[in-house]
Amino acid sequence: MGSVNRERSLDSIIVYFSAALVIAAGVGACLLRGFFFTEEMYLFLTLWFVMCSVALLYLYIGVGKWRSSTGGASGVRRALKIMLTAPLIVLSLYQIHWLRDPLSAQGTMNEILRWGLYASFAFLVCFCALNRVGRQLIIAAWSILGMFLSISALLAVCGGVELPFAIAYSNSSEVSITGARLAGVMEYPNAFGAVMAVFLLERLFAVAAYYVRPQKSVDGCDRLERREPRSTAAALLRLLPLFPYAAALLLSESRGAWLMAACACAAVLLWKRQLIAPLLAAGAAPVVAAALLYRQLARAGLAVDPLPGLLLLAGLWAGALLAGLWLCRRQRSAAGIARAAMLALAAAGWTAAGTAVLLHVRERITGPSSTVSARGLFYRDAWRLAVEAPWLGRGGETWRSSYLAAQSRPYVGSQVHNGYLDILLNLGFVGLAAILLMLLAAGWLLAQRSPRLLPPFLVIVMHSAVDFDWSYGLIWLLLFWLPALALSEYEQKHQSANTRFTSISLLTTHFASANLGATIPAFASLSHPYPRRLFITVACCLCLMLSVLSLQAAQGERYYRQAVQTVDPSVKVDLLEQSLAWNPQSPKTAVALSRLLTGEQSVSILQQSLQYSPDNASLNWEMARRWMYSDDPGAALYWIRRSIQLDKYNSVKWVKGIEGMLMMGRKKLAEGNRMEAISCIASGNELLREYRVLAEYEGSKGEQHNDRKFQITEQADDLSRRLSVLASRF
């Protein structure tokens, strides 16, 4: 009896610990802007990987005590195995790049840490889904996460809370009709809109599935699924999130999120036609109320007084709840003409809401869009860059590190606005194939276990093709969370009551043949505890290594921020040196430190950093600046040309480079070295000629997409006259 109690205690500890980590990941994503900036995640990742190591230690202790389980159909087991293995393959590919001199060692390290988070989160959330207590916790955590994201954003608009950058302002009518768009904690309206579409469709189809009318069986009796008691309180809780999700989605004014939500919804409704009527009834009132809120706030540019704004929000929410509850119950219980009239009323509500919103933003939908054409430029330039390393790519953050050199127009776009292209640039076709296989497996699992979760999954899959959603860690968490919810629902309905704690056996079986950093051999028999212990040991060691790596990066970032806030130059130098000692791969730290040093020290710092990021535009330009003050015109010209090649649409660099050659020509002339002076002047004139040709060619294309204002400047004209005067002396 004591042994059984100890096993149950260990079971509970692991389940609660894993669920706590899942919840911590959701909380961290909310507090850290959706996990967009990796620099903000370092400390979180350090603690995360330590906690994952602790969880693995508990698994190691109890691995021999849990019985094996089939885990359901073989197809589902295979899909789950693929879905959990693919992140490890991606992680391994980034580790290979890290050892092979990638385009950006810092960017590759960031991706290693990110995919370590994604792989471990996928394991933990699926682990929880296969346990009774764990599945309840992750289902509740999903709902709480969605409500927090939506309510915090709406309260920021209505004056309830202060949330910096929750509203994105723009003076361009092509970006926003109202001049303001809701961005929430993610601080980017398009990504926030996609997340709200995910939560809205999940809840909408959940309510529709709950209120679907009973079907007649062969004997003529009503065939009812086993359901929870239909109390009013329970029904209101089911409908509660629909209005804030819909309102936040509309206020994001994300055309892509709207379109993808509609397409995903239509695709699944064509397959599950029995959900059309309950979905119309469930969504009519919340969508109408959300449209009213959108039109009211849009007129005010998302700027309203707190009290009226909060009263409007509360009133519309309450009305949407009561009307939605009435429509859902009438749809399920009414028959004949009464039901047809009710459905017509619901359809009219959807139509009115859609018309009100679309009429308000019709100019952004029907008119020409510079943002759409800009994406076309991104995709063409990214594809040309991808074919240079098609199989394995160039490592993490390839586009961010090289877009200035690859761009065909002077646009501003450090994000490629396409998740699949971003993966292709980073990991080539091998990495992209792993991601696509993972998405197919996850989609198949959802279709088999919970088709109602397919629409939110499709929103993520489709919207990621037109924006940089996958740069947000939160999106990946949601993508892995959805299959876990599907497993939870299926297990809740079909798992036998006497099956105890099968999740460890199932998931360690799935993981045991996966690649984890290095290749782990596939074991012929996984019923024995030793192969599982070997896998857990390797996974624990990897987590500890990732924890150390993230700790070093966190320390480097901490010292860098302290240096930025320090005025005393000597203290600043000391802090930057400590930052670089902790994280020598950081190019921004090397640039900041080199500007505070002189001579060989400065050049040495830059040379060391260039070993980690050879094509970094900032590092190469700093090196050019150093050589322009040296006695070596050849080296100066080399670094000027190299830095311009890596950032060719930068007028400042062209002008400074030409000025540097003029300055060196004057210096050589003063020293009596006429030949080198003539060479410097000729080089300056050649740079000026190339600059004029490029600027004139760019000017002939028009002002559109010339976001960086690349053109011939007055300083360039002045340099031309000064070069001519100096050349006349020869």
Side-chain angles (χ1 to χ4, degrees):
M1 181 64 69
S3 176
V4 173
N5 290 335
R6 282 195 299 271
E7 288 183 24
R8 289 179 177 175
S9 176
L10 184 60
D11 293 355
S12 300
I13 290 173
I14 298 176
V15 171
Y16 283 115
F17 196 81
S18 301
L21 285 176
V22 171
I23 296 169
V27 173
C30 292
L31 298 179
L32 299 177
R33 296 190 274 188
F35 284 155
F36 182 79
F37 298 101
T38 312
E39 294 81 2
E40 296 179 347
M41 298 170 58
Y42 290 144
L43 183 58
F44 172 85
L45 290 172
T46 301
L47 299 175
W48 171 269
F49 290 124
V50 169
M51 293 299 101
C52 286
S53 301
V54 174
L56 288 168
L57 180 61
Y58 275 112
L59 289 180
Y60 186 90
I61 294 172
V63 75
K65 299 182 176 67
W66 291 296
R67 67 187 70 176
S68 298
S69 170
T70 59
S74 60
V76 173
R77 292 203 308 272
R78 267 194 303 271
L80 184 60
K81 181 176 180 178
I82 292 171
M83 191 188 76
L84 297 178
T85 303
L88 298 176
I89 295 175
V90 173
L91 176 61
S92 300
L93 291 174
Y94 278 119
Q95 289 175 329
I96 292 171
H97 273 293
W98 201 42
L99 299 174
R100 292 180 52 210
D101 298 328
L103 190 66
S104 170
Q106 175 74 27
T108 303
M109 182 195 72
N110 288 342
E111 291 298 328
I112 288 174
L113 295 176
R114 281 181 173 275
W115 280 94
L117 168 66
Y118 304 153
S120 54
F121 179 85
F123 178 89
L124 289 169
V125 75
C126 290
F127 173 75
C128 292
L130 298 175
N131 176 265
R132 181 179 59 83
V133 176
R135 74 175 63 104
Q136 294 172 352
L137 291 174
I138 64 170
I139 290 172
W142 170 276
S143 300
I144 293 171
L145 175 63
M147 288 294 284
F148 176 83
L149 291 171
S150 59
I151 295 300
S152 62
L154 292 175
L155 289 179
V157 175
C158 296
V161 297
E162 282 288 333
L163 196 61
F165 309 110
I167 301 175
Y169 297 98
S170 174
N171 294 325
S172 173
S173 59
E174 294 183 353
V175 176
S176 173
I177 292 295
T178 63
R181 298 170 61 186
L182 190 58
V185 298
M186 303 180 73
E187 300 181 4
Y188 181 58
N190 289 348
F192 179 72
V195 169
M196 287 297 97
V198 167
F199 281 102
L200 174 63
L201 292 188
E202 184 276 329
R203 188 69 346 227
L204 194 58
F205 275 81
V207 175
Y210 185 75
Y211 280 104
V212 68
R213 287 168 64 87
Q215 300 176 357
K216 295 289 185 179
S217 60
V218 177
D219 58 3
C221 299
D222 286 347
R223 179 165 53 85
L224 290 173
E225 297 181 5
R226 187 179 65 179
R227 299 183 184 273
E228 303 170 9
R230 286 189 175 82
S231 66
T232 301
L236 288 175
L237 282 176
R238 289 180 177 276
L239 293 166
L240 186 68
L242 288 177
F243 168 73
Y245 292 164
L249 173 59
L250 293 181
L251 289 170
S252 73
E253 204 179 302
S254 174
R255 298 168 299 177
W258 296 352
L259 178 62
M260 299 310 169
C263 291
C265 190
V268 175
L269 287 179
L270 289 175
W271 177 31
K272 299 289 184 180
R273 293 184 179 87
Q274 69 271 21
L275 294 178
I276 295 178
L279 188 140
L280 282 175
V287 169
V288 169
L292 290 173
L293 180 67
Y294 171 76
R295 289 301 298 262
Q296 186 69 26
L297 295 180
R299 294 192 192 99
L302 303 193
V304 294
D305 293 331
L307 183 58
L310 291 174
L311 289 176
L312 176 66
L313 179 65
L316 289 174
W317 196 352
L321 268 176
L322 296 177
L325 180 62
W326 180 81
L327 283 173
C328 286
R329 289 184 169 178
R330 289 291 297 170
Q331 178 275 144
R332 197 175 190 284
S333 59
I337 298 176
R339 184 167 186 266
M342 188 279 307
L343 291 177
L345 177 63
W350 278 90
T351 304
T355 303
V357 173
L358 293 178
L359 286 177
H360 187 72
V361 297
R362 62 184 180 277
E363 294 181 8
R364 288 194 68 210
I365 295 176
T366 60
S369 175
S370 61
T371 58
V372 174
S373 59
R375 279 174 170 76
L377 284 175
F378 297 164
Y379 300 161
R380 288 194 294 271
D381 293 343
W383 178 253
R384 284 196 295 267
L385 186 62
V387 296
E388 296 177 5
W391 297 112
L392 290 177
R394 295 188 173 189
E397 299 183 4
T398 293
W399 177 255
R400 183 178 178 183
S401 302
S402 58
Y403 81 97
L404 293 174
Q407 61 183 185
S408 57
R409 294 293 304 277
Y411 50 73
V412 177
S414 60
Q415 295 287 336
V416 75
H417 287 75
N418 185 306
Y420 301 93
L421 264 178
D422 200 33
I423 294 292
L424 181 63
L425 289 169
N426 290 355
L427 299 177
F429 285 107
V430 175
L432 182 60
I435 293 296
L436 293 177
L437 189 61
M438 180 191 73
L439 294 177
L440 287 174
W444 188 88
L445 192 151
L446 289 169
Q448 292 296 312
R449 288 296 181 251
S450 183
R452 75 166 187 85
L453 293 173
L454 265 179
F457 176 79
L458 291 176
V459 168
I460 295 177
V461 171
M462 293 188 296
H463 196 268
S464 298
V466 296
D467 222 316
F468 53 90
D469 298 359
W470 283 351
S471 294
Y472 284 89
L474 175 60
I475 299 292
W476 287 105
L477 301 188
L478 299 182
L479 192 148
F480 290 118
W481 212 321
L482 286 168
L485 292 177
L487 288 173
S488 298
E489 292 183 0
Y490 181 83
E491 292 293 326
Q492 195 166 357
K493 291 178 181 178
H494 299 91
Q495 192 176 25
S496 175
N498 59 4
T499 300
R500 187 186 67 86
F501 205 77
T502 63
S503 44
I504 289 178
S505 175
L506 176 61
L507 288 181
T508 52
T509 299
H510 290 334
F511 261 161
S513 60
N515 288 332
L516 189 57
T519 301
I520 301 175
F523 298 102
S525 175
L526 293 174
S527 59
H528 201 276
Y530 292 113
R532 299 183 191 175
R533 284 201 172 106
L534 178 60
F535 162 75
I536 292 172
T537 301
V538 174
C540 187
C541 291
L542 178 61
C543 285
L544 290 175
M545 287 189 291
L546 292 178
S547 179
V548 172
L549 188 63
S550 54
L551 175 62
Q552 292 175 337
Q555 287 292 91
E557 185 67 18
R558 181 171 72 90
Y559 283 118
Y560 175 80
R561 291 182 178 178
Q562 289 178 4
V564 170
Q565 298 170 359
T566 301
V567 177
D568 189 340
S570 61
V571 177
K572 189 184 290 284
V573 168
D574 182 62
L575 290 171
L576 289 173
E577 286 177 343
Q578 293 186 65
S579 174
L580 210 57
W582 279 102
N583 183 17
Q585 302 168 118
S586 174
K588 65 180 183 182
T589 306
V591 168
L593 181 58
S594 69
R595 291 174 179 174
L596 297 174
L597 301 176
T598 57
E600 294 183 359
Q601 284 184 311
S602 177
V603 173
S604 175
I605 292 293
L606 293 172
Q607 287 175 338
Q608 292 174 11
S609 189
L610 282 168
Q611 293 178 1
Y612 296 107
S613 304
D615 289 343
N616 184 275
S618 298
L619 288 173
N620 280 272
W621 176 242
E622 288 301 319
M623 186 68 81
R625 290 178 58 189
R626 298 298 172 272
W627 283 103
M628 278 189 281
Y629 291 96
S630 70
D631 290 328
D632 191 343
L637 182 61
Y638 167 80
W639 286 106
I640 289 171
R641 286 195 172 280
R642 178 166 174 75
S643 61
I644 288 176
Q645 182 184 11
L646 295 172
D647 189 7
K648 60 184 177 180
Y649 290 113
N650 192 317
S651 298
V652 173
K653 290 182 180 179
W654 281 102
V655 170
K656 291 293 184 182
I658 297 167
E659 186 178 17
M661 297 313 298
L662 173 61
M663 179 183 64
M664 296 190 79
R666 285 179 170 173
K667 182 179 179 182
K668 292 299 179 182
L669 183 61
E671 294 173 354
N673 193 336
R674 291 174 58 86
M675 295 302 296
E676 289 196 6
I678 292 173
S679 176
C680 290
I681 295 170
S683 299
N685 277 316
E686 179 61 20
L687 287 172
L688 181 61
R689 186 192 67 80
E690 293 174 7
Y691 176 32
R692 286 189 183 278
V693 170
L694 183 61
E696 289 173 1
Y697 178 70
E698 176 58 35
S700 66
K701 298 180 182 179
E703 287 297 320
Q704 190 179 25
H705 305 308
N706 190 0
D707 304 328
R708 304 177 67 188
K709 306 301 179 185
F710 181 72
Q711 58 191 358
I712 292 291
T713 64
E714 294 181 1
Q715 294 92 328
D717 292 332
D718 181 61
L719 286 172
S720 177
R721 291 190 294 268
R722 292 161 63 186
L723 282 168
S724 299
V725 170
L726 186 59
S728 66
R729 299 176 60 180
F730 297 99

